[in-house]
Amino acid sequence: MSTPVKRRTDPERAQNRRNQVLQAAAVCFARSGFHAASMSEISKEAGMSAGHIYNYFDNKDAIIMAFVDLHAEDVLTNLSELDSLDDPLQSMIDNAHEHVARRLDPNCSDLPMEMFAEATRNPKIAEALQAADRRVGDRFRPIVKREREKRGLPIDDALLDGRINTMVALFHGLPIRAIQRPDMNRDSLVEGYRLVLKVLLLG
Amino acid sequence: MSTPVKRRTDPERAQNRRNQVLQAAAVCFARSGFHAASMSEISKEAGMSAGHIYNYFDNKDAIIMAFVDLHAEDVLTNLSELDSLDDPLQSMIDNAHEHVARRLDPNCSDLPMEMFAEATRNPKIAEALQAADRRVGDRFRPIVKREREKRGLPIDDALLDGRINTMVALFHGLPIRAIQRPDMNRDSLVEGYRLVLKVLLLG
């Protein structure tokens, strides 16, 4: 999934401008909400004229698609790093603390929650999220399979899917839990999370 | 947390009218999005004049608060039923299939996802969600503690909190996972979910 770049003259400059717009969009989504943030608010935040922003993105949907792509690229980079480790699954379990802290950080660079809500009404956004998730899954799944195989654990397709889908659901639920219970004991949450990762990945 | 009822003459009639507004609001939130749904759209959907709706709710925030309260009441009713069973924790594990199905149903009566996103910007909504969660937690926690104690399992406060917070995070992540991967194998997801419930509640 890639988003077409309009009137691209100097590719590097255009890419910088696009990134500038995406950073501004992230600020506006957080401040005004995903729905209320307008193209004019985003262009103002990016320090561009309202017309100039349309050189880079046709509309808010196009910004959102680029957002989803950028996020998938980040995740794929992290997965390549994970894949290069001696024991990727054990590393995930060992680094539970770091991972939970990132998921609970309201300023983390993750997809805004509203994007998922918006996807229930906007098929283009749903398709972008699903395509990004397939790319990420195609990278992560073989790592889990290979590492489980090394350990002689079951690796049938349905089992792997169920384990991974459950784990990803937990990732996505953590920021919601932080909103419901901002003062929760984070160390004990990490312990719960670690227990779950252990049983799903190595159980 | 209760929301004041304005100009209540016949309490039963007023309550029916309030429920009618809440049902209409649910339809409008799903159709237009939480942010875009207006008081006038909601009153139209409820078959009321735009002015009439203000007899029951001051503004959209008041509707949202009532929504959160109503949802907490539903959960508390379910928890009372759970508490009356012989083995509540084992029942939760046994009924994993039903529970997952409910969380993946886009028409389920749960809190709309956007409410959590909105809570990051609206302290009143955040406070309502947190108060509702405390009520639910105060009901659920003693059940888990008692049932674990019966089995001779550890029941220290931090451990219980961590287990429950992890479990609730997983609940909230399931609808998001369904958006990312609508065609996922649900039986294997239930297996993953069941494994997690088992280790968190009885591990």
Side-chain angles (χ1 to χ4, degrees):
Chain A
M1 268 260 351
S2 71
T3 316
V5 177
K6 294 176 71 187
R7 286 186 240 165
R8 180 173 45 187
T9 43
D10 172 350
E12 193 182 332
R13 189 163 175 276
Q15 194 53 53
N16 287 342
R17 290 299 229 169
R18 282 170 57 85
N19 288 343
Q20 196 178 330
V21 173
L22 291 179
Q23 278 164 20
V27 173
C28 297
F29 291 158
R31 183 176 55 211
S32 310
F34 188 77
H35 211 97
S38 64
M39 284 295 266
S40 100
E41 186 188 343
I42 297 170
S43 62
K44 205 170 163 187
E45 179 68 34
M48 290 181 182
S49 73
H52 194 184
I53 198 170
Y54 289 99
N55 290 340
Y56 303 102
F57 296 100
D58 275 332
N59 48 41
K60 211 166 83 179
D61 276 5
I63 294 182
I64 293 161
M65 307 294 176
F67 228 93
V68 173
D69 281 354
L70 198 66
H71 179 254
E73 292 303 331
D74 278 355
V75 177
L76 290 169
T77 304
N78 291 342
L79 287 177
S80 287
E81 281 170 28
L82 185 76
D83 198 14
S84 72
L85 301 174
D86 279 343
D87 190 341
L89 303 188
Q90 188 59 49
S91 298
M92 284 182 71
I93 295 165
D94 294 342
N95 295 330
H97 204 287
E98 216 175 285
H99 196 201
V100 170
R102 214 165 43 230
R103 300 293 304 155
L104 299 185
D105 177 3
N107 300 315
C108 83
S109 64
D110 233 323
L111 291 177
M113 217 174 286
E114 287 150 309
M115 210 171 270
F116 294 102
E118 197 66 17
T120 63
R121 286 180 296 273
N122 184 330
K124 268 189 183 170
I125 297 181
E127 178 42 44
L129 288 171
Q130 289 157 17
D133 183 70
R134 282 192 296 272
R135 288 177 65 202
V136 168
D138 288 348
R139 187 75 185 83
F140 182 55
R141 209 172 179 287
I143 302 176
V144 178
K145 189 169 183 173
R146 181 191 70 215
E147 295 299 318
R148 285 181 64 90
E149 199 165 18
K150 273 190 201 166
R151 287 174 162 89
L153 295 166
I155 51 162
D156 63 275
D157 286 345
L159 180 138
L160 286 180
D161 287 345
R163 301 289 178 92
I164 293 172
N165 287 328
T166 306
M167 196 183 73
V168 178
L170 176 56
F171 292 171
H172 286 299
L174 287 172
I176 295 182
R177 192 62 190 147
I179 291 166
Q180 283 183 310
R181 203 156 276 233
D183 58 347
M184 69 182 155
N185 178 331
R186 299 202 168 194
D187 288 335
S188 71
L189 175 68
V190 171
E191 284 318 305
Y193 176 87
R194 198 191 300 273
L195 205 61
V196 169
L197 245 55
K198 226 165 159 174
V199 76
L200 290 176
L201 295 174
L202 301 181
Chain B
M1 270 257 350
S2 71
T3 316
V5 178
K6 294 175 74 187
R7 285 187 240 166
R8 178 174 46 188
T9 43
D10 174 349
E12 194 182 332
R13 189 163 175 276
Q15 195 52 53
N16 287 342
R17 289 301 227 169
R18 282 169 58 84
N19 288 343
Q20 196 177 331
V21 173
L22 291 178
Q23 278 164 18
V27 172
C28 297
F29 291 159
R31 182 174 58 211
S32 309
F34 189 76
H35 212 95
S38 64
M39 284 295 267
S40 100
E41 185 188 343
I42 297 170
S43 61
K44 205 170 162 187
E45 178 69 34
M48 289 181 184
S49 72
H52 194 184
I53 198 170
Y54 289 99
N55 290 341
Y56 303 101
F57 296 99
D58 276 331
N59 47 42
K60 211 166 84 179
D61 276 5
I63 294 182
I64 293 161
M65 307 293 175
F67 229 92
V68 173
D69 281 354
L70 198 67
H71 179 254
E73 292 303 331
D74 278 355
V75 177
L76 290 169
T77 304
N78 290 343
L79 287 177
S80 288
E81 280 170 28
L82 185 75
D83 198 15
S84 71
L85 301 174
D86 279 343
D87 190 341
L89 303 188
Q90 189 58 50
S91 298
M92 285 182 71
I93 296 165
D94 294 342
N95 295 331
H97 204 287
E98 215 175 289
H99 195 202
V100 169
R102 212 163 46 228
R103 301 292 303 154
L104 299 186
D105 177 3
N107 300 316
C108 84
S109 64
D110 232 323
L111 292 176
M113 218 175 284
E114 286 149 309
M115 211 171 267
F116 294 101
E118 197 66 17
T120 62
R121 285 180 297 272
N122 184 330
K124 266 189 183 168
I125 297 180
E127 178 41 43
L129 288 171
Q130 289 157 16
D133 183 69
R134 282 192 296 272
R135 288 176 65 202
V136 168
D138 288 347
R139 187 74 184 85
F140 182 54
R141 210 172 178 286
I143 302 176
V144 179
K145 188 170 182 171
R146 180 192 70 213
E147 297 298 318
R148 286 180 63 90
E149 198 166 18
K150 273 190 201 167
R151 287 172 161 90
L153 295 166
I155 51 162
D156 63 275
D157 286 344
L159 180 137
L160 287 180
D161 287 345
R163 302 289 178 91
I164 294 172
N165 287 328
T166 306
M167 196 183 74
V168 178
L170 175 57
F171 291 171
H172 287 299
L174 288 171
I176 296 182
R177 192 61 191 146
I179 291 166
Q180 283 183 310
R181 203 156 276 235
D183 58 348
M184 68 183 158
N185 178 331
R186 299 202 168 195
D187 288 335
S188 71
L189 175 69
V190 171
E191 283 318 306
Y193 177 87
R194 198 190 299 275
L195 205 62
V196 169
L197 244 57
K198 223 164 160 175
V199 76
L200 290 176
L201 295 175
L202 302 182

